[in-house]
Amino acid sequence: MKNTILKFAMASTLMAGMIFTGCESSETKMKDAQDEVKDAKEELNEAQQEAKAEAQRKQDAKEWKVFKLEAEAKIKQNDALIAQLRDRMKTSGNTMDKLYANKIDALEEQNKNLKSKIFAYEKSQSDWETFKHEFNHDMDQLTQALNDLTVKNTN
């Protein structure tokens, strides 16, 4: 009987120990759950940011194609206008021909630089918004200079 009581006491002690060590407190469970929720939210935010970035890249690629076609058309138009200016200069016999020739050469160089910018951007695909803003600014300045030279040359 002493063996039975001793065995029962040992079993009870082992059971109590397993119960106390096997059970986590509700605070620990809640903290673990909060950590899991926090991790899940961070993963969701990262996935949303990646999705937005991918959508932006696709939009930029579409916009780039249209932009490139329009820019190349403007550059060709500028080339044609420069050729017209050179023809007019040859036939005008104006005393300012040397000055006009220098201006036309400078404008032609600017037009070539714009072609180079398009080619360079296509290879690097850097910051789209900055490139677009700077390119449009440069193109507008060149177009204005060509128009100014045309008006002055026709007088």
Side-chain angles (χ1 to χ4, degrees):
M1 173 124 160
K2 285 186 183 182
N3 276 342
T4 312
I5 294 176
L6 189 58
K7 287 182 184 178
F8 179 72
M10 282 182 152
S12 296
T13 305
L14 281 173
M15 289 279 255
M18 289 191 328
I19 289 174
F20 287 126
T21 59
C23 293
E24 294 181 36
S25 69
S26 61
E27 289 178 19
T28 305
K29 286 182 182 178
M30 186 162 44
K31 182 160 176 50
D32 289 345
Q34 288 173 342
D35 288 344
E36 288 178 21
V37 168
K38 183 179 175 184
D39 291 344
K41 284 182 180 179
E42 288 174 1
E43 289 176 12
L44 176 63
N45 285 338
E46 287 174 12
Q48 287 174 336
Q49 288 174 350
E50 287 175 14
K52 285 180 184 178
E54 182 62 28
Q56 186 63 44
R57 282 190 293 273
K58 287 181 181 179
Q59 179 64 29
D60 288 351
K62 288 178 186 176
E63 193 174 336
W64 163 247
K65 288 179 184 177
V66 171
F67 182 85
K68 181 182 175 194
L69 290 174
E70 290 174 354
E72 287 174 342
K74 287 178 184 177
I75 289 170
K76 286 181 183 177
Q77 193 175 25
N78 289 344
D79 283 337
L81 187 54
I82 289 169
Q84 286 177 351
L85 289 172
R86 286 194 188 281
D87 286 343
R88 280 190 216 161
M89 186 181 67
K90 288 178 186 175
T91 59
S92 72
N94 210 349
T95 58
M96 301 292 280
D97 285 347
K98 184 70 173 169
L99 178 63
Y100 280 120
N102 289 339
K103 287 182 180 181
I104 291 170
D105 290 341
L107 295 174
E108 186 174 32
E109 186 63 31
Q110 287 178 350
N111 205 39
K112 286 179 183 176
N113 288 341
L114 289 174
K115 284 181 193 178
S116 298
K117 280 185 179 182
I118 291 238
F119 183 73
Y121 179 79
E122 192 167 27
K123 290 192 175 232
S124 69
Q125 297 286 321
S126 57
D127 183 18
W128 166 239
E129 290 298 322
T130 302
F131 171 80
K132 183 172 63 170
H133 176 74
E134 289 175 1
F135 186 89
N136 283 334
H137 179 264
D138 293 347
M139 180 62 78
D140 291 343
Q141 282 185 330
L142 176 60
T143 302
Q144 185 62 44
L146 282 168
N147 289 337
D148 289 347
L149 190 59
T150 304
V151 169
K152 290 178 185 175
N153 197 23
T154 57
N155 287 336

